[in-house]
Amino acid sequence: MSSTTPGTADAAGRPQAAWLVLGGLHLLNGTAPLADADPVVLVPLDRPFEQTFPGNTVVVDWAALGTVRLEARDVAGTRTHGAVAQGAGLFPDMLPGAELRAAVAAVSDAANGPLVPLFYVSSDGTSAHVHSQIRFLAEDACFIRITEEPVPAAGIEELGWLPQALARHAEQFLFLNNHQRYYRKCFPGKELEYKYTLTPPVDAWTLTLELYRDVKGGALPGYLMEYRDEYQAWDYLNHLFEVTGPTEDERGYASFIPTTDGKHLLKRKWYAEDAFERRETHTYGLSLADDGGFERYVTEELKVEAVRLPSFRRVRYDINFESARTGHVYGIFFDHCSLVDARDVTLNQCELEYLRSRTAVEPDEADVSKEMAEIATWLESFLRERGLNSERGFYSKRTFLKDAVAARPELARPVV
């Protein structure tokens, strides 16, 4: 059971503590202001969920909490009530459980609206940080830090920090309260990626699942599976043109990818040589057909010089995970590419890419490079253990297709 004053000791011997804060949904969605009579329930935890302080992303599994104490009060502090509950019973089917409802009723005479997880608060003993709930389900909830600067650790139970936290949440309601809109992108318009070219045969499916098992199991300390978006499977065609001019700055490629609505996504990348960082844009909803339409778009809309390379099919399996400390999200992909007109010509790769950042505070772009290097070192060990190439590189699909054309020149068609 959690004690009234939770605490563990960090590596430096300083006390640490953490609380869940439960209360009315109106406090997050702004449908009513904070009132002195509003009930709030603090749930002191046996240990903080972060490995570093301050962290960014916290996922709380209700069942993993075990037995917890509910410290209910009204905001004014005129009424208090203590009770005991099971973590798994806090929000069965996302609805407040019996013990939680009873604790709230003991400090409030009014009919209360929906009860939800509001915040996760953690302290290093001197200062504290507040994390807002951005999504929760019957099994767990996800919180991200909203405080740029810490609040005093003393008196967390007195809720002196609550009005400031609610104001901060309200400032970012568009970012925090909308499904899957709590992301931002460091290095906008750029792709950061390491590639590992693998010698076939490669069982991309099994490798992805083994990697997924290891990361989810904690083999990469400090990283969590991206909340409710941790595994993806993809299978699509690419009709790729190498852009050769008219200027050096235009070099790269333009690839037309069929989408499920019968249209095409245009993926455009700018680079002269294969590299870690490349400029990239995506344009959706192009109504084109492979009857000369791609060629016309390249010349008339993009106004570039290009050579069509062989079309290929890409089968890809992804795992997505994020740094609990920074909120930066990364993907590791295993893929198999084969030429449409020469299925025996293949490319097998593993890729590590920065994807996005789930953070309400200003992200530190420098952390991305540090974390990617850290992840790459771990990934290379994973590959070596399986007898696979672990040499960090940048071998692109464009270069693969050019190499294929060198062996099959008739597959290249200049744009006219």
Side-chain angles (χ1 to χ4, degrees), residues 57-363:
T57 308
V58 175
V59 176
V60 176
D61 183 304
W62 305 129
L65 294 176
T67 304
V68 295
R69 181 167 177 79
L70 307 181
E71 298 180 350
R73 54 170 288 164
D74 59 7
V75 170
T78 58
R79 301 173 68 175
T80 61
H81 178 78
V84 171
Q86 293 299 312
L90 290 176
F91 293 101
D93 299 317
M94 298 178 65
L95 297 168
E99 293 85 358
L100 178 56
R101 295 198 307 273
V104 167
V107 298
S108 176
D109 295 327
N112 295 293
L115 297 172
V116 298
L118 299 176
F119 300 108
Y120 170 92
V121 181
S122 62
S123 165
D124 66 354
T126 302
S127 58
H129 278 281
V130 181
H131 301 66
S132 277
Q133 181 258 112
I134 57 169
R135 190 175 175 191
F136 96 101
L137 297 170
E139 301 83 11
D140 52 26
C142 183
F143 304 79
I144 62 172
R145 179 163 59 92
I146 59 171
T147 45
E148 292 267 11
E149 299 297 329
V151 299
I156 293 295
E157 299 92 338
E158 301 306 313
L159 304 182
W161 55 272
L162 182 59
Q164 177 185 347
L166 291 173
R168 176 65 175 161
H169 187 101
E171 290 171 1
Q172 300 200 61
F173 77 91
L174 190 64
F175 183 81
L176 297 168
N177 288 359
N178 287 285
H179 182 68
Q180 295 285 49
R181 292 298 178 265
Y182 31 69
Y183 291 105
R184 62 181 73 197
K185 183 87 170 180
C186 294
F187 314 99
K190 295 180 180 178
E191 177 190 59
L192 277 61
E193 183 179 55
Y194 290 123
K195 296 175 181 285
Y196 303 86
T197 301
L198 310 177
T199 302
V202 178
D203 183 351
W205 174 264
T206 300
L207 286 168
T208 306
L209 294 184
E210 290 178 348
L211 187 78
Y212 173 54
R213 175 199 62 201
D214 290 357
V215 176
K216 188 173 184 178
L220 187 58
Y223 294 86
L224 308 169
M225 304 311 301
E226 186 178 21
Y227 188 72
R228 302 296 172 177
D229 196 14
E230 55 198 45
Y231 175 84
Q232 298 177 358
W234 299 91
D235 185 355
Y236 52 91
L237 296 175
N238 279 261
H239 306 292
L240 191 146
F241 293 72
E242 180 190 12
V243 177
T244 57
T247 66
E248 186 75 7
D249 290 342
E250 291 288 355
R251 289 183 61 188
Y253 74 71
S255 186
F256 298 92
I257 300 172
T259 51
T260 55
D261 58 1
K263 298 182 180 181
H264 287 81
L265 157 67
L266 169 63
K267 180 189 290 187
R268 182 86 192 272
K269 293 188 182 181
W270 288 261
Y271 61 102
E273 303 294 337
D274 293 347
F276 170 67
E277 180 181 308
R278 296 176 292 177
R279 180 183 166 201
E280 179 182 55
T281 62
H282 290 179
T283 303
Y284 289 88
L286 298 182
S287 297
L288 301 171
D290 190 7
D291 58 358
F294 300 150
E295 285 80 358
R296 287 189 294 274
Y297 191 92
V298 166
T299 56
E300 297 172 10
E301 299 296 330
L302 300 182
K303 294 180 170 53
V304 296
E305 300 165 0
V307 175
R308 183 163 184 175
L309 296 174
S311 297
F312 65 96
R313 179 173 174 177
R314 187 182 188 190
V315 176
R316 195 182 89 202
Y317 305 113
D318 307 353
I319 68 161
N320 299 333
F321 53 96
E322 66 187 275
S323 167
R325 182 178 67 86
T326 66
H328 297 316
V329 180
Y330 304 94
I332 296 177
F333 319 140
F334 284 94
D335 68 3
H336 172 89
C337 297
S338 59
L339 301 191
V340 171
D341 295 327
R343 296 291 301 278
D344 58 318
V345 180
T346 63
L347 174 67
N348 295 272
Q349 288 187 307
C350 174
E351 300 178 346
L352 165 61
E353 182 179 344
Y354 163 72
L355 299 177
R356 51 191 164 265
S357 299
R358 189 207 308 263
T359 172
V361 300
E362 191 64 30

